[in-house]
Amino acid sequence: MESKCVCLLLGILLLVNCTFQQTAPKKKPAKKDSTKDAAIEDLQKQINDIVGELNLLKEQQALQSVCLKGVKIHGKCFLADPVKKRYHTASEDCNALGGVLSSPMSSDENDQLRNYISQSVGPGEQVWLGINDMVTDGTWTDQTGTSITYKNWDATNPRSRQPDGGQAQNCAVLNVALSGKWSDESCREEKASVCQFNIV
C-alpha cells in the first residue's frame, strides 16, 4: 500500500512538473532576439530615410514652383513681391516661405536681379535687400550675420555717397532706376522685396 502511495505521489509530482513546464513562458535564444532587434532597427532606419527623401522632394517641388513663378540666377531662385512693406515684415514674409531677402553676391547676380525686378515690380522701383547694419553701425551683414563681400553702393553723387544714413538708416535697398545701385534707408519705409531661395 505504501508503495502504491509513493508511486501515486511520484506520478502526481511528474504530472504537475510537466504541466508547469508546458505553461511556463519559454525563453527564446538570445541570438534570435538580437536578430529581431537588428531587423526592427533596420526597418526603422529605412522608414526614416524614406520620410527624409519625401520631405526633400516636397521641398524641391515647392522650390520649383517658386522658380517657375520667379527667376533662377546663379543656383538660386528669386521671387519678387511687389507689395510694399517695412523691412522686418518683408523679411518675415520671406522666412515664412522658406527663403530670405535677396543678397546679391556678385556684379552679374546684382545686374540680373535688377533686370528681374524691373520686369516684375517696375523700372523705377526700389526693393529691400537682405543686408543691414542694425547690429553695428557701418558693418553691413546679410541676414545670417555674415559680413558682405560684394557691395554696390551708389557713389555717383559725391555729396551723398551711400551708405550715408548713420543710425537712422540701417537697411539696404536696390534701386532699379540707378542701374541696381544700393542705398541705405530707414527700415520703417515701405518697399517691395525679393525673396531668395537656395537650390539644394
Side-chain angles (χ1 to χ4, degrees):
M1 176 95 170
E2 256 181 62
S3 67
K4 281 186 181 183
C5 285
V6 169
C7 283
L8 184 63
L9 186 60
L10 282 174
I12 293 173
L13 285 174
L14 282 172
L15 185 61
V16 168
N17 187 32
C18 286
T19 306
F20 178 75
Q21 286 180 351
Q22 288 176 355
T23 59
K26 295 182 181 179
K27 290 188 177 179
K28 295 180 182 176
K31 188 175 183 180
K32 287 184 180 177
D33 281 348
S34 64
T35 305
K36 185 178 176 182
D37 290 344
I40 290 172
E41 286 178 18
D42 187 47
L43 285 173
Q44 187 61 50
K45 183 183 179 306
Q46 289 177 13
I47 290 169
N48 292 342
D49 290 346
I50 290 169
V51 168
E53 288 175 21
L54 180 63
N55 287 336
L56 183 61
L57 285 171
K58 285 181 183 177
E59 199 173 294
Q60 288 174 342
Q61 184 179 13
L63 190 55
Q64 286 176 351
S65 68
V66 167
C67 286
L68 290 173
K69 293 177 191 173
V71 67
K72 183 178 172 183
I73 302 170
H74 296 290
K76 301 174 196 170
C77 288
F78 295 91
L79 182 62
D81 182 356
V83 178
K84 296 185 179 186
K85 307 170 190 170
R86 291 181 174 191
Y87 179 87
H88 289 42
T89 303
S91 177
E92 289 169 1
D93 288 352
C94 282
N95 294 158
L97 294 172
V100 294
L101 286 174
S102 61
S103 300
M105 302 291 286
S106 68
S107 176
D108 184 51
E109 188 174 314
N110 193 80
D111 290 345
Q112 289 188 51
L113 186 58
R114 179 200 69 226
N115 293 339
Y116 169 62
I117 294 165
S118 179
Q119 293 168 2
S120 59
V121 181
E125 292 295 326
Q126 295 180 333
V127 296
W128 290 121
L129 293 175
I131 298 168
N132 66 71
D133 70 344
M134 291 180 215
V135 176
T136 305
D137 192 50
T139 303
W140 293 87
T141 61
D142 64 18
Q143 292 194 303
T144 65
T146 305
S147 292
I148 57 171
T149 53
Y150 170 73
K151 299 172 183 161
N152 194 33
W153 298 110
D154 183 14
T156 54
N157 186 345
R159 285 187 245 151
S160 63
R161 287 183 182 265
Q162 297 292 327
D164 67 351
Q167 293 181 356
Q169 297 177 338
N170 294 321
C171 296
V173 296
L174 183 146
N175 297 291
V176 175
L178 294 175
S179 301
K181 294 293 184 185
W182 304 353
S183 61
D184 58 344
E185 297 284 340
S186 167
C187 302
R188 294 176 184 255
E189 296 286 326
E190 292 189 345
K191 309 279 182 194
S193 56
V194 177
C195 296
Q196 168 182 309
F197 304 85
N198 293 327
I199 298 174
V200 184

